[in-house]
Amino acid sequence: MRRLRAVVVLPSLWCYEDAYLRSFAQSLLRFLGFIFWGTAAAQAFGGVLVILMFKNYRYLFQESYLSLPGWLSLATAIILLPAGVLAVSISVKCSRNQQGTLMYLLLLLLCLEMSSAALARSYCVRSASQLESVMGHLIHQHNWTCSQDPGNSAVDVIQRKLQCCGVHNYTDWLETSSSSWYHPTCVPESCCKGKYSHCRGDLGHVEQLSEEGCLKKLEGQLCFAMLYIFWFCTVLSVLELLAGISNGILMRHQPFHELRILDSYTFLQDYRC
């Protein structure tokens, strides 16, 4: 009698657990669908940030492929929108076609984001190491004198935009002519702080010059953009894995009733026709 009760109770417990698991998977998939919509905008922001940064400083980064993580992030943001729609739709009403499409989109998103994260991390380290040599070369090639000419070279544009001076500080401009007889008494006017309108780069008024070097600020902007993409893609990949697991649970509870072509009788009938 006890064995008979155990046999009757176990299937009911399994059914209850399956129903609870299915309900949990639907709720999680619906929640992740809304999250995908919100993260699409944040992902697009990171992609545009990287693309514009390398466009604005294209004279420092000769390799055009360095903006690739940004373009991959934009592609990810576009695909996240239909993926979110499918996730919400499947959580309301399961459809085998929609579930299969969502799985393909999640796999594509996972590949794009892992590629973006790996490239962003690699480019952050690689580009930061090249900045010092490129900036030093631009400063040594810069032809400047203590004059009223504000200067429009690449170095001047960077120093005005970032409010910086030299590679590490203003003394880098003095080292460019240390081996000759001429020792300048000023630095380019682009080193002046914005609030000093009458500054001419005179070393007698060092307080009017920007204290920080351009290398530190450039590395900060570069690593912020790249690490933003790296961590965002990493977190989003985990969420997509959860969405894939939830979708797989719902697919397991909805067998392929339509795919009866492998049934021997049906296959034979179709073959004879």
Side-chain angles (χ1 to χ4, degrees):
M1 192 65 178
R2 291 180 179 177
R3 291 182 180 179
L4 181 60
R5 289 180 180 177
V7 171
V8 174
V9 170
L10 284 177
S12 62
L13 288 176
W14 289 336
C15 292
Y16 176 77
E17 291 178 356
D18 287 345
Y20 175 79
L21 186 61
R22 179 182 176 83
S23 177
F24 177 77
Q26 286 178 330
S27 301
L28 180 60
L29 195 60
R30 185 183 302 111
F31 172 74
L32 291 174
F34 290 116
I35 290 296
F36 289 162
W37 289 343
T39 54
Q43 187 81 350
F45 169 77
V48 171
L49 183 65
V50 171
I51 293 171
L52 290 180
M53 184 191 64
F54 282 104
K55 182 180 180 181
N56 293 333
Y57 302 112
R58 56 186 177 275
Y59 35 78
L60 296 178
F61 306 99
Q62 301 298 327
E63 298 86 354
S64 58
Y65 61 82
L66 291 175
S67 61
L68 183 58
W71 292 108
L72 291 178
S73 296
L74 286 181
T76 301
I78 294 174
I79 300 175
L80 276 172
L81 295 176
V85 173
L86 286 174
V88 174
S89 177
I90 292 171
S91 65
V92 176
K93 183 179 179 180
C94 292
S95 171
R96 178 60 65 179
N97 294 330
Q98 291 181 352
Q99 288 174 333
T101 304
L102 179 60
M103 278 298 191
Y104 283 118
L105 289 181
L106 291 175
L107 181 61
L108 179 59
L109 286 171
L110 191 62
C111 293
L112 287 175
E113 284 162 2
M114 295 305 293
S115 300
S116 298
L119 290 175
R121 185 62 180 175
S122 174
Y123 290 170
C124 177
V125 177
R126 180 178 178 181
S127 300
S129 63
Q130 294 178 352
L131 281 176
E132 184 173 5
S133 60
V134 174
M135 282 292 299
H137 176 73
L138 289 177
I139 287 179
H140 281 276
Q141 295 296 320
H142 189 278
N143 293 322
W144 61 278
T145 57
C146 295
S147 65
Q148 301 296 324
D149 183 16
N152 294 312
S153 66
V155 178
D156 292 314
V157 172
I158 294 174
Q159 292 185 149
R160 288 196 191 92
K161 185 180 296 185
L162 299 180
Q163 286 295 291
C164 58
C165 186
V167 180
H168 301 97
N169 51 49
Y170 71 92
T171 59
D172 294 322
W173 288 104
L174 306 181
E175 295 174 359
T176 58
S177 58
S178 59
S179 59
S180 63
W181 61 271
Y182 174 67
H183 297 279
T185 59
C186 68
V187 294
E189 293 182 18
S190 56
C191 286
C192 296
K193 295 179 180 178
K195 61 181 180 179
Y196 296 105
S197 58
H198 300 289
C199 174
R200 294 294 178 263
D202 188 0
L203 292 178
H205 301 281
V206 181
E207 70 280 357
Q208 298 180 355
L209 305 178
S210 300
E211 294 87 0
E212 288 190 79
C214 297
L215 179 63
K216 183 178 180 180
K217 290 193 172 183
L218 280 172
E219 285 182 348
Q221 287 191 3
L222 173 68
C223 288
F224 171 79
M226 289 299 185
L227 291 179
Y228 176 91
I229 289 183
F230 173 78
W231 287 112
F232 195 87
C233 288
T234 302
V235 173
L236 197 54
S237 298
V238 175
L239 297 179
E240 287 165 3
L241 287 175
L242 292 177
I245 294 172
S246 301
N247 191 32
I249 292 173
L250 296 178
M251 293 178 72
R252 184 172 63 88
H253 287 81
Q254 185 182 7
F256 287 94
H257 295 292
E258 303 87 355
L259 300 182
R260 299 181 60 84
I261 192 171
L262 297 181
D263 183 31
S264 59
Y265 177 77
T266 306
F267 181 77
L268 290 175
Q269 291 295 325
D270 294 339
Y271 177 76
R272 288 172 184 176
C273 293

Short mmCIF file of all heavy atoms in Angstrom, two decimals, residues 107-145:
data_model
loop_
_atom_site.label_atom_id
_atom_site.label_comp_id
_atom_site.label_asym_id
_atom_site.label_seq_id
_atom_site.Cartn_x
_atom_site.Cartn_y
_atom_site.Cartn_z
N LEU A 107 22.87 33.07 -29.91
CA LEU A 107 24.19 32.55 -30.27
C LEU A 107 24.99 33.59 -31.04
O LEU A 107 26.20 33.77 -30.79
CB LEU A 107 24.03 31.28 -31.11
CG LEU A 107 25.32 30.58 -31.55
CD1 LEU A 107 26.14 30.14 -30.34
CD2 LEU A 107 25.01 29.39 -32.44
N LEU A 108 24.33 34.30 -31.96
CA LEU A 108 25.01 35.36 -32.72
C LEU A 108 25.45 36.48 -31.79
O LEU A 108 26.57 37.00 -31.91
CB LEU A 108 24.06 35.88 -33.80
CG LEU A 108 24.59 37.03 -34.68
CD1 LEU A 108 25.86 36.60 -35.41
CD2 LEU A 108 23.53 37.48 -35.66
N LEU A 109 24.58 36.88 -30.87
CA LEU A 109 24.94 37.93 -29.92
C LEU A 109 26.10 37.52 -29.04
O LEU A 109 26.99 38.33 -28.74
CB LEU A 109 23.72 38.28 -29.05
CG LEU A 109 22.61 39.08 -29.71
CD1 LEU A 109 21.39 39.14 -28.80
CD2 LEU A 109 23.09 40.49 -30.04
N LEU A 110 26.11 36.29 -28.62
CA LEU A 110 27.19 35.81 -27.76
C LEU A 110 28.52 35.87 -28.50
O LEU A 110 29.55 36.27 -27.92
CB LEU A 110 26.89 34.38 -27.30
CG LEU A 110 27.78 33.82 -26.19
CD1 LEU A 110 27.63 34.65 -24.91
CD2 LEU A 110 27.43 32.36 -25.91
N CYS A 111 28.52 35.49 -29.77
CA CYS A 111 29.76 35.55 -30.55
C CYS A 111 30.23 36.99 -30.74
O CYS A 111 31.43 37.29 -30.60
CB CYS A 111 29.55 34.88 -31.91
SG CYS A 111 29.25 33.11 -31.85
N LEU A 112 29.29 37.90 -31.04
CA LEU A 112 29.65 39.29 -31.24
C LEU A 112 30.20 39.92 -29.97
O LEU A 112 31.20 40.66 -30.00
CB LEU A 112 28.42 40.08 -31.72
CG LEU A 112 27.97 39.85 -33.16
CD1 LEU A 112 26.67 40.61 -33.43
CD2 LEU A 112 29.03 40.28 -34.15
N GLU A 113 29.57 39.63 -28.85
CA GLU A 113 29.99 40.29 -27.60
C GLU A 113 31.30 39.73 -27.07
O GLU A 113 32.11 40.49 -26.55
CB GLU A 113 28.88 40.15 -26.56
CG GLU A 113 27.72 41.10 -26.85
CD GLU A 113 26.47 40.70 -26.13
OE1 GLU A 113 26.52 39.71 -25.38
OE2 GLU A 113 25.45 41.38 -26.31
N MET A 114 31.51 38.45 -27.20
CA MET A 114 32.79 37.90 -26.78
C MET A 114 33.92 38.43 -27.65
O MET A 114 35.02 38.71 -27.17
CB MET A 114 32.74 36.37 -26.81
CG MET A 114 31.76 35.75 -25.83
SD MET A 114 32.04 36.29 -24.11
CE MET A 114 33.63 35.54 -23.78
N SER A 115 33.64 38.60 -28.95
CA SER A 115 34.65 39.17 -29.84
C SER A 115 34.92 40.63 -29.47
O SER A 115 36.08 41.07 -29.43
CB SER A 115 34.19 39.08 -31.30
OG SER A 115 33.98 37.73 -31.68
N SER A 116 33.85 41.38 -29.19
CA SER A 116 34.02 42.79 -28.81
C SER A 116 34.81 42.92 -27.52
O SER A 116 35.69 43.78 -27.40
CB SER A 116 32.65 43.45 -28.66
OG SER A 116 31.94 43.44 -29.87
N ALA A 117 34.49 42.07 -26.54
CA ALA A 117 35.19 42.15 -25.25
C ALA A 117 36.67 41.82 -25.41
O ALA A 117 37.53 42.51 -24.84
CB ALA A 117 34.53 41.19 -24.25
N ALA A 118 36.97 40.77 -26.18
CA ALA A 118 38.37 40.39 -26.37
C ALA A 118 39.16 41.47 -27.11
O ALA A 118 40.28 41.81 -26.74
CB ALA A 118 38.44 39.06 -27.12
N LEU A 119 38.55 42.03 -28.18
CA LEU A 119 39.23 43.08 -28.93
C LEU A 119 39.41 44.35 -28.11
O LEU A 119 40.46 45.00 -28.16
CB LEU A 119 38.44 43.39 -30.20
CG LEU A 119 38.44 42.31 -31.28
CD1 LEU A 119 37.51 42.71 -32.43
CD2 LEU A 119 39.84 42.05 -31.81
N ALA A 120 38.38 44.72 -27.35
CA ALA A 120 38.47 45.93 -26.53
C ALA A 120 39.57 45.82 -25.50
O ALA A 120 40.34 46.77 -25.28
CB ALA A 120 37.13 46.20 -25.86
N ARG A 121 39.66 44.67 -24.85
CA ARG A 121 40.71 44.48 -23.84
C ARG A 121 42.09 44.50 -24.47
O ARG A 121 43.03 45.12 -23.94
CB ARG A 121 40.49 43.14 -23.13
CG ARG A 121 41.43 42.87 -21.97
CD ARG A 121 41.26 43.90 -20.88
NE ARG A 121 42.15 43.66 -19.76
CZ ARG A 121 42.27 44.47 -18.72
NH1 ARG A 121 41.56 45.58 -18.66
NH2 ARG A 121 43.10 44.19 -17.75
N SER A 122 42.22 43.87 -25.62
CA SER A 122 43.52 43.81 -26.30
C SER A 122 43.93 45.19 -26.82
O SER A 122 45.08 45.61 -26.65
CB SER A 122 43.46 42.81 -27.46
OG SER A 122 44.64 42.83 -28.21
N TYR A 123 42.99 45.92 -27.43
CA TYR A 123 43.30 47.23 -27.99
C TYR A 123 43.60 48.25 -26.91
O TYR A 123 44.37 49.19 -27.13
CB TYR A 123 42.15 47.72 -28.86
CG TYR A 123 41.98 46.95 -30.15
CD1 TYR A 123 40.86 47.13 -30.96
CD2 TYR A 123 42.94 46.03 -30.56
CE1 TYR A 123 40.70 46.43 -32.14
CE2 TYR A 123 42.79 45.32 -31.74
CZ TYR A 123 41.66 45.52 -32.52
OH TYR A 123 41.50 44.82 -33.69
N CYS A 124 42.98 48.11 -25.74
CA CYS A 124 43.26 49.05 -24.64
C CYS A 124 44.72 48.98 -24.24
O CYS A 124 45.38 50.01 -24.08
CB CYS A 124 42.35 48.73 -23.45
SG CYS A 124 42.65 49.76 -22.01
N VAL A 125 45.23 47.78 -24.09
CA VAL A 125 46.63 47.61 -23.69
C VAL A 125 47.57 48.02 -24.83
O VAL A 125 48.57 48.72 -24.62
CB VAL A 125 46.89 46.15 -23.28
CG1 VAL A 125 48.36 45.94 -22.94
CG2 VAL A 125 46.01 45.78 -22.10
N ARG A 126 47.23 47.62 -26.05
CA ARG A 126 48.11 47.88 -27.19
C ARG A 126 48.16 49.36 -27.55
O ARG A 126 49.23 49.92 -27.77
CB ARG A 126 47.63 47.08 -28.40
CG ARG A 126 48.47 47.28 -29.65
CD ARG A 126 47.96 46.42 -30.79
NE ARG A 126 48.72 46.65 -32.00
CZ ARG A 126 48.49 46.06 -33.15
NH1 ARG A 126 47.50 45.18 -33.24
NH2 ARG A 126 49.21 46.32 -34.21
N SER A 127 47.01 50.01 -27.59
CA SER A 127 46.96 51.42 -27.99
C SER A 127 47.59 52.32 -26.94
O SER A 127 48.26 53.30 -27.28
CB SER A 127 45.51 51.84 -28.23
OG SER A 127 44.93 51.06 -29.25
N ALA A 128 47.39 51.99 -25.67
CA ALA A 128 47.98 52.81 -24.61
C ALA A 128 49.50 52.80 -24.67
O ALA A 128 50.15 53.81 -24.38
CB ALA A 128 47.50 52.32 -23.25
N SER A 129 50.08 51.68 -25.07
CA SER A 129 51.54 51.59 -25.16
C SER A 129 52.09 52.37 -26.35
O SER A 129 53.26 52.76 -26.36
CB SER A 129 51.96 50.12 -25.26
OG SER A 129 51.45 49.53 -26.45
N GLN A 130 51.25 52.60 -27.37
CA GLN A 130 51.72 53.33 -28.55
C GLN A 130 51.57 54.84 -28.42
O GLN A 130 52.23 55.60 -29.12
CB GLN A 130 50.93 52.87 -29.79
CG GLN A 130 51.18 51.43 -30.19
CD GLN A 130 50.34 51.02 -31.38
OE1 GLN A 130 49.47 51.76 -31.83
NE2 GLN A 130 50.60 49.84 -31.90
N LEU A 131 50.71 55.27 -27.51
CA LEU A 131 50.42 56.70 -27.41
C LEU A 131 51.65 57.52 -27.03
O LEU A 131 51.86 58.61 -27.56
CB LEU A 131 49.30 56.94 -26.38
CG LEU A 131 47.89 56.67 -26.86
CD1 LEU A 131 46.90 56.84 -25.73
CD2 LEU A 131 47.53 57.61 -28.01
N GLU A 132 52.45 57.01 -26.10
CA GLU A 132 53.61 57.78 -25.63
C GLU A 132 54.60 58.05 -26.76
O GLU A 132 55.08 59.18 -26.92
CB GLU A 132 54.29 57.06 -24.48
CG GLU A 132 55.44 57.84 -23.87
CD GLU A 132 55.99 57.19 -22.62
OE1 GLU A 132 55.54 56.07 -22.29
OE2 GLU A 132 56.85 57.80 -21.97
N SER A 133 54.89 57.03 -27.57
CA SER A 133 55.85 57.22 -28.66
C SER A 133 55.28 58.14 -29.75
O SER A 133 56.01 58.98 -30.29
CB SER A 133 56.23 55.87 -29.26
OG SER A 133 55.09 55.21 -29.78
N VAL A 134 54.00 58.01 -30.03
CA VAL A 134 53.39 58.85 -31.06
C VAL A 134 53.34 60.31 -30.61
O VAL A 134 53.67 61.23 -31.37
CB VAL A 134 51.97 58.34 -31.40
CG1 VAL A 134 51.28 59.30 -32.36
CG2 VAL A 134 52.04 56.96 -32.03
N MET A 135 52.94 60.54 -29.36
CA MET A 135 52.89 61.90 -28.84
C MET A 135 54.29 62.53 -28.80
O MET A 135 54.48 63.70 -29.14
CB MET A 135 52.28 61.91 -27.45
CG MET A 135 50.77 61.79 -27.42
SD MET A 135 49.96 63.25 -28.09
CE MET A 135 50.52 64.53 -26.99
N GLY A 136 55.28 61.76 -28.37
CA GLY A 136 56.65 62.27 -28.34
C GLY A 136 57.15 62.63 -29.72
O GLY A 136 57.83 63.66 -29.90
N HIS A 137 56.80 61.82 -30.71
CA HIS A 137 57.22 62.10 -32.09
C HIS A 137 56.56 63.39 -32.60
O HIS A 137 57.22 64.22 -33.25
CB HIS A 137 56.85 60.92 -32.98
CG HIS A 137 57.16 61.15 -34.43
ND1 HIS A 137 58.44 61.15 -34.94
CD2 HIS A 137 56.32 61.42 -35.50
CE1 HIS A 137 58.40 61.38 -36.25
NE2 HIS A 137 57.14 61.55 -36.60
N LEU A 138 55.27 63.57 -32.32
CA LEU A 138 54.57 64.77 -32.77
C LEU A 138 55.16 66.03 -32.13
O LEU A 138 55.26 67.07 -32.79
CB LEU A 138 53.08 64.66 -32.45
CG LEU A 138 52.27 63.65 -33.27
CD1 LEU A 138 50.84 63.60 -32.78
CD2 LEU A 138 52.33 63.99 -34.76
N ILE A 139 55.53 65.94 -30.87
CA ILE A 139 56.11 67.11 -30.19
C ILE A 139 57.47 67.47 -30.78
O ILE A 139 57.79 68.63 -31.01
CB ILE A 139 56.20 66.86 -28.67
CG1 ILE A 139 54.79 66.91 -28.06
CG2 ILE A 139 57.12 67.86 -28.00
CD1 ILE A 139 54.76 66.64 -26.57
N HIS A 140 58.28 66.47 -31.05
CA HIS A 140 59.61 66.73 -31.61
C HIS A 140 59.53 67.26 -33.04
O HIS A 140 60.43 67.98 -33.49
CB HIS A 140 60.47 65.47 -31.57
CG HIS A 140 61.05 65.18 -30.22
ND1 HIS A 140 62.21 65.76 -29.77
CD2 HIS A 140 60.60 64.38 -29.20
CE1 HIS A 140 62.48 65.34 -28.53
NE2 HIS A 140 61.52 64.49 -28.16
N GLN A 141 58.48 66.89 -33.77
CA GLN A 141 58.31 67.36 -35.14
C GLN A 141 57.59 68.70 -35.22
O GLN A 141 57.45 69.27 -36.29
CB GLN A 141 57.52 66.32 -35.95
CG GLN A 141 58.24 65.00 -36.15
CD GLN A 141 59.52 65.14 -36.96
OE1 GLN A 141 59.57 65.89 -37.92
NE2 GLN A 141 60.55 64.40 -36.56
N HIS A 142 57.13 69.20 -34.08
CA HIS A 142 56.36 70.44 -34.07
C HIS A 142 57.28 71.64 -34.20
O HIS A 142 58.22 71.82 -33.42
CB HIS A 142 55.56 70.53 -32.76
CG HIS A 142 54.57 71.65 -32.73
ND1 HIS A 142 54.92 72.93 -32.41
CD2 HIS A 142 53.23 71.67 -32.97
CE1 HIS A 142 53.83 73.70 -32.45
NE2 HIS A 142 52.80 72.95 -32.78
N ASN A 143 57.04 72.48 -35.20
CA ASN A 143 57.82 73.70 -35.40
C ASN A 143 57.09 74.87 -34.74
O ASN A 143 56.03 75.30 -35.21
CB ASN A 143 58.01 73.98 -36.90
CG ASN A 143 58.87 72.94 -37.56
OD1 ASN A 143 59.84 72.45 -36.96
ND2 ASN A 143 58.53 72.57 -38.79
N TRP A 144 57.63 75.37 -33.67
CA TRP A 144 56.97 76.44 -32.94
C TRP A 144 58.00 77.43 -32.43
O TRP A 144 59.17 77.12 -32.24
CB TRP A 144 56.17 75.87 -31.75
CG TRP A 144 57.03 75.15 -30.75
CD1 TRP A 144 57.48 73.87 -30.84
CD2 TRP A 144 57.57 75.67 -29.54
NE1 TRP A 144 58.26 73.55 -29.76
CE2 TRP A 144 58.32 74.64 -28.94
CE3 TRP A 144 57.47 76.91 -28.91
CZ2 TRP A 144 58.98 74.81 -27.73
CZ3 TRP A 144 58.13 77.08 -27.70
CH2 TRP A 144 58.87 76.03 -27.12
N THR A 145 57.54 78.64 -32.23
CA THR A 145 58.37 79.71 -31.68
C THR A 145 57.52 80.51 -30.70
O THR A 145 56.29 80.39 -30.67
CB THR A 145 58.89 80.64 -32.79
OG1 THR A 145 57.77 81.18 -33.52
CG2 THR A 145 59.82 79.90 -33.74
#
